[in-house]
Amino acid sequence: MDDSEAQRDRVLRAALGYRVELVAYARALLGNYTAAEDVVQEAMLVVMKKFDQFREGTSMLAWCRAIVRLEVLRVKQQRRREQTLAERLLDDAIDAAFEELQKARRRDDAESRREALERCLQRVSQRGRRVLEARFVDELSYQQIGERVGMTVEAVRKALFRIKKQVRSCVETCLGDAQ
């Protein structure tokens, strides 16, 4: 499998992960579940064709939602149905509400992650917390940390690696348990 195929598969898998949200979005715009399913299916074909246009680091959901919106507009044009001003305003309101919902989810996710991190940091030993604080709050070098807490540079490096791994694992466990 070459890089292009691997990228296409990653993008498609990520896009399919948002299928439920995209169907809900399309249904809100079209008012019809079957039409929404069809639109999302067509949008996934567009995602497959244009996978190389997705830029890593940007929002997959926003990119897919834009494609779904274009597909909804295409379907509405095919129906040769004129959209009234009220319908356009409703579509825009649905768009705004959907964006607010996603922002709220991101805030909730960030808050959950922060709370999990706080719980997990409490499980780190006093010495480990001193090492973390020296590195990430005081921004000291390994040498300076070693001098402050009485450790060799190599011991500081290993301790930081071990503590970060422990905290990361704990946070992932906490977040997994919350879902």
Side-chain angles (χ1 to χ4, degrees), residues 37-178:
E37 284 277 344
D38 292 344
V39 161
V40 170
Q41 188 138 4
E42 289 298 318
M44 288 302 134
L45 292 173
V46 172
V47 166
M48 279 182 58
K49 289 177 192 169
K50 297 185 176 190
F51 72 92
D52 56 334
Q53 293 178 13
F54 177 73
R55 296 293 163 239
E56 295 295 330
T58 61
S59 171
M60 173 62 70
L61 180 58
W63 186 64
C64 289
R65 198 175 84 218
I67 293 170
V68 168
R69 173 114 173 151
L70 291 173
E71 287 300 311
V72 164
L73 293 174
R74 188 183 58 74
V75 164
K76 285 183 175 184
Q77 286 173 347
Q78 283 177 344
R79 292 180 181 170
R80 296 204 188 319
R81 189 178 115 212
E82 280 191 4
Q83 200 176 22
T84 66
L85 176 60
E87 288 172 322
R88 285 195 306 270
L89 291 173
L90 180 60
D91 287 355
D92 290 343
I94 290 168
D95 234 7
F98 189 82
E99 186 61 36
E100 280 302 311
L101 173 67
Q102 293 307 311
K103 284 180 185 175
R105 278 190 181 164
R106 286 190 296 270
R107 280 192 303 270
D108 291 346
D109 290 348
E111 181 65 20
S112 296
R113 184 167 287 281
R114 188 190 60 72
E115 289 171 358
L117 180 59
E118 285 178 3
R119 283 194 305 271
C120 293
L121 286 174
Q122 291 173 358
R123 297 178 185 175
V124 174
S125 70
Q126 184 66 28
R127 187 176 192 187
R129 278 193 294 242
R130 285 180 43 220
V131 170
L132 285 174
E133 183 177 306
R135 181 68 178 151
F136 297 107
V137 176
D138 300 336
E139 298 179 352
L140 300 180
S141 69
Y142 288 3
Q143 178 72 37
Q144 292 169 318
I145 295 168
E147 291 169 4
R148 179 183 279 185
V149 297
M151 297 169 71
T152 67
V153 171
E154 186 61 21
V156 169
R157 187 187 65 76
K158 287 180 180 178
L160 279 169
F161 176 80
R162 188 181 66 255
I163 294 165
K164 288 191 299 186
K165 184 177 177 183
Q166 171 192 348
V167 170
R168 184 180 308 114
S169 175
C170 177
V171 167
E172 289 171 358
T173 300
C174 287
L175 293 176
D177 292 346

Side-chain angles (χ1 to χ4, degrees), residues 20-39:
V20 171
E21 288 93 340
L22 295 172
V23 170
Y25 177 65
R27 184 172 185 210
L29 292 174
L30 291 169
N32 179 308
Y33 183 80
T34 305
E37 284 277 344
D38 292 344
V39 161

